[in-house]
Amino acid sequence: MNQPKSEIFSDGICVYVSVNVSNSFIGKLALVFANLLILTVIGLGVVWHIPGMVICFGLLFVLLAKYSLWNFFGWENLIINTRSVSYQRDYGLFKTRYIIKRLQSRLIISHSLYKPNPGCILCSFGSYKQVDNTPFEIYNMTFPMAEADAKYLNTLIEKLFIDDMSRRYDLPQIILN
């Protein structure tokens, strides 16, 4: 597996994260051959007038096509602010809608090493419930990030929450104009 590609930036209100992993050439080649094999069977079903075969392998092709798009062109997009975490999956030809998970308290980021690719980390986001203060999981990233990118993401999120806390507890501005 190649080194993951990450795009991380902040505008002071939100932190935007986009992650893509370049899969190996052999894996992509296997997916292309599997898609061609299923298309060949569908073509034979059409020529031989076997509708059951066309329907079954057509459904299998739709599932494999979605998986292939994810592995060729997939991006994972996150928008993190002090009130919510939003995530979306981009398959190249289509995107899912943003799913918004509200934060009840501070955001927790936990890291786990990605064993197939050394130097990469999988990030998991969580928070605490306000009622009984138990932790709950908000989102697990599918694609790993480089270790340096994960540290940079941590820094941006810490700055975001510190700025929000200082805005809430700071004295109001007085302008004498």
Side-chain angles (χ1 to χ4, degrees):
M1 181 178 289
N2 299 336
Q3 192 68 10
K5 296 178 221 167
S6 303
E7 296 175 6
I8 304 169
F9 64 95
S10 175
D11 61 0
I13 299 170
C14 295
V15 176
Y16 302 92
V17 181
S18 293
V19 182
N20 177 358
V21 173
S22 298
N23 292 325
S24 66
F25 179 72
I26 295 170
K28 289 181 180 180
L29 193 62
L31 280 172
V32 168
F33 281 136
N35 284 322
L36 289 176
L37 178 68
I38 291 176
L39 281 175
T40 303
V41 172
I42 291 172
L44 289 174
V46 169
V47 169
W48 292 339
H49 304 291
I50 306 173
M53 187 167 82
V54 172
I55 291 171
C56 289
F57 280 94
L59 291 174
L60 183 63
F61 177 73
V62 168
L63 292 174
L64 188 63
K66 182 179 176 184
Y67 182 73
S68 298
L69 285 173
W70 180 248
N71 282 296
F72 276 93
F73 309 109
W75 281 88
E76 194 171 17
N77 303 317
L78 283 95
I79 301 173
I80 302 165
N81 60 33
T82 57
R83 295 190 180 108
S84 66
V85 174
S86 306
Y87 57 90
Q88 172 193 48
R89 294 202 169 117
D90 183 356
Y91 289 87
L93 295 179
F94 65 95
K95 297 177 182 180
T96 61
R97 66 178 179 83
Y98 273 101
I99 297 172
I100 301 169
K101 300 282 182 140
R102 300 276 177 218
L103 294 175
Q104 295 181 7
S105 101
R106 183 155 170 70
L107 182 69
I108 308 163
I109 304 172
S110 59
H111 303 285
S112 59
L113 294 175
Y114 187 66
K115 291 181 182 174
N117 196 358
C120 291
I121 292 176
L122 285 172
C123 294
S124 177
F125 301 94
S127 185
Y128 290 105
K129 293 181 182 177
Q130 285 184 341
V131 177
D132 55 357
N133 224 13
T134 57
F136 69 96
E137 187 175 272
I138 294 175
Y139 184 67
N140 277 326
M141 291 185 71
T142 307
F143 293 144
M145 308 176 79
E147 200 168 347
D149 290 339
K151 287 179 183 177
Y152 181 62
L153 175 64
N154 243 0
T155 304
L156 287 177
I157 291 174
E158 289 291 326
K159 184 179 181 331
L160 192 70
F161 278 92
I162 288 172
D163 288 349
D164 181 57
M165 187 175 69
S166 68
R167 264 187 252 119
R168 281 189 286 162
Y169 296 111
D170 205 10
L171 295 174
Q173 285 184 343
I174 298 174
I175 301 172
L176 299 175
N177 280 348

